[in-house]
Amino acid sequence: MALELARDPVDPASDESTRAGKQVAGRVVRVLLADDDADTLITLAELLQREGFDVKMVLNGGPVVAVASYYRPHIVLLDIGMPDRNGFKVAAELRAIYGDQAPVLIAITGLSGAAEKIQSEKCGFDHYVRKPYDPVQLLELIASRVPQS
């Protein structure tokens, strides 16, 4: 099982999302992951790929919006505390671009304060998950938010 780190966010030809993956209503479910910790990113990607999701990884928040524009993820899992462009900024930008058609946005963060949770809601996150997360609960959350159409 090969993990793919999105390296060229503006080249749709580099997109390999057509490989087999978890299908809902006859289509592959695409999940975009962004975190500045490579180990966290790889561990989460492996978990999701084992469940059959098509996964793309981005190491840092900077290229997320560009990758999302060609990858068209159904779900985006974002770390909040990333350098360059943090998860709050990325979520707000995705909401501004896509509005109600934005992918499901899930914050996965080590930040545990009430202020961060409130800010995540204001920026457009659909869910807020604190690290360390329970993998089973995270998979259940993701499965419950997979678009049916």
Side-chain angles (χ1 to χ4, degrees), residues 7-137:
R7 298 187 189 283
D8 188 355
V10 295
D11 180 9
S14 69
D15 183 13
E16 296 179 15
S17 64
T18 56
R19 64 185 175 268
K22 189 173 202 76
Q23 294 195 10
V24 173
R27 63 185 177 158
V28 174
V29 178
R30 294 178 303 278
V31 180
L32 177 59
L33 309 176
D35 200 305
D36 61 323
D37 182 82
D39 291 336
T40 299
L41 198 62
I42 290 168
T43 300
L44 184 52
E46 287 177 347
L47 173 70
L48 292 169
Q49 282 189 333
R50 270 188 260 143
E51 291 297 313
F53 293 97
D54 182 69
V55 178
K56 248 195 213 312
M57 301 179 294
V58 179
L59 187 59
N60 205 342
V64 172
V65 173
V67 171
S69 72
Y70 75 84
Y71 182 56
R72 304 281 187 212
H74 298 102
I75 298 173
V76 178
L77 286 89
L78 296 169
D79 181 28
I80 290 177
M82 296 182 287
D84 185 31
R85 188 181 292 163
N86 67 38
F88 294 134
K89 290 179 183 176
V90 173
E93 192 169 346
L94 289 170
R95 283 283 175 222
I97 293 168
Y98 299 104
D100 291 340
Q101 300 303 312
V104 175
L105 301 177
I106 301 174
I108 297 190
T109 181
L111 302 174
S112 60
E116 288 84 5
K117 188 170 184 180
I118 291 168
Q119 185 173 357
S120 73
E121 291 171 6
K122 288 180 181 178
C123 292
F125 279 104
D126 297 296
H127 299 280
Y128 187 89
V129 176
R130 292 190 326 195
K131 294 176 186 174
Y133 54 84
D134 178 317
V136 173
Q137 288 180 343

